Amino acid sequence: MAEQPLVSIDDIAARLGRDLTDSEETRAEALVVDVSAAVRAYTGQTLSATETTRRLRTRGRTVRLPERPVNTVTAVTDLDGNDIDFSWYNGDTITIEASPTGGWVDVTYSHGWEELPADIVAVVCQIVGRALGTPADEGAYQSESIGNYSYTIGAAAAAGATGMLNDERAVLDRYRRVGATVWLTT
């Protein structure tokens, strides 16, 4: 199942200060999907509100949940499906009452935002807007010159629809997953 785009076409039009033409709207829809995927990949987060069941390794009696923000934790089971008593107060860590055999548990929890933070929306819209302003077949150009005139853009801006500038990365760094988690399918 494909994840929903992080912004709407109306968000893009609002930031451009005008309605999109039909051809721009078609391209913007594709760019929003691409940029949303790139932002999710960069942050390592789903970002949108959803419920997930993940198999996670315990560290003693604690388990760190990889997706943030954690909204609720509804179940923790051992690998045989038996319920495990747990405590969760807030944040991305739960405490289990007893360490399971093998050190792995399945945790069902909800995470993400019903309404994305404004800075994430701004970054996605900025990247899409920049890509809309660059013809699709010119996305890889970093510089050009004609006689004595030359024009240069940074490598990120030349990277096309999913190229992120350093300031955009700095905003998204606040939402990146820290550390690593091994995910196993159940």
Side-chain angles (χ1 to χ4, degrees):
M1 179 174 85
E3 294 180 10
Q4 294 296 314
L6 295 175
V7 300
S8 69
I9 297 302
D10 290 340
D11 292 326
I12 303 298
R15 277 145 183 92
L16 290 174
R18 63 177 174 78
D19 290 334
L20 299 176
T21 66
D22 288 343
S23 63
E24 285 177 323
E25 190 168 323
T26 300
R27 185 164 179 234
E29 288 170 353
L31 289 168
V32 165
V33 170
D34 294 346
V35 173
S36 295
V39 166
R40 284 185 171 110
Y42 182 79
T43 61
Q45 301 289 308
T46 304
L47 301 171
S48 304
T50 191
E51 182 175 84
T52 301
T53 299
R54 289 259 163 76
R55 182 160 290 169
L56 301 167
R57 185 161 187 72
T58 63
R59 301 282 184 226
R61 291 185 23 220
T62 62
V63 178
R64 185 158 184 222
L65 304 173
E67 296 270 1
R68 296 184 314 257
V70 177
N71 302 317
T72 60
V73 179
T74 54
V76 178
T77 61
D78 64 18
L79 299 185
D80 295 322
N82 301 312
D83 289 336
I84 296 175
D85 291 331
F86 67 93
S87 299
W88 173 76
Y89 300 105
N90 201 353
D92 63 357
T93 304
I94 60 174
T95 303
I96 55 178
E97 299 303 316
S99 295
T101 305
W104 293 89
V105 293
D106 292 330
V107 180
T108 301
Y109 65 109
S110 65
H111 53 85
W113 287 273
E114 290 294 333
E115 185 173 328
L116 286 179
D119 55 350
I120 294 175
V121 172
V123 166
V124 173
C125 289
Q126 184 170 304
I127 296 169
V128 170
R130 185 171 55 248
L132 272 176
T134 304
D137 59 349
E138 294 179 15
Y141 291 127
Q142 189 170 351
S143 66
E144 66 181 359
S145 56
I146 301 171
N148 290 333
Y149 170 79
S150 71
Y151 174 75
T152 303
I153 59 173
T162 59
M164 291 183 207
L165 301 175
N166 288 337
D167 288 344
E168 293 161 344
R169 282 193 177 97
V171 168
L172 296 176
D173 283 346
R174 293 186 290 241
Y175 302 98
R176 281 186 94 171
R177 183 175 56 228
V178 179
T181 300
V182 176
W183 298 350
L184 301 175
T185 58
T186 55

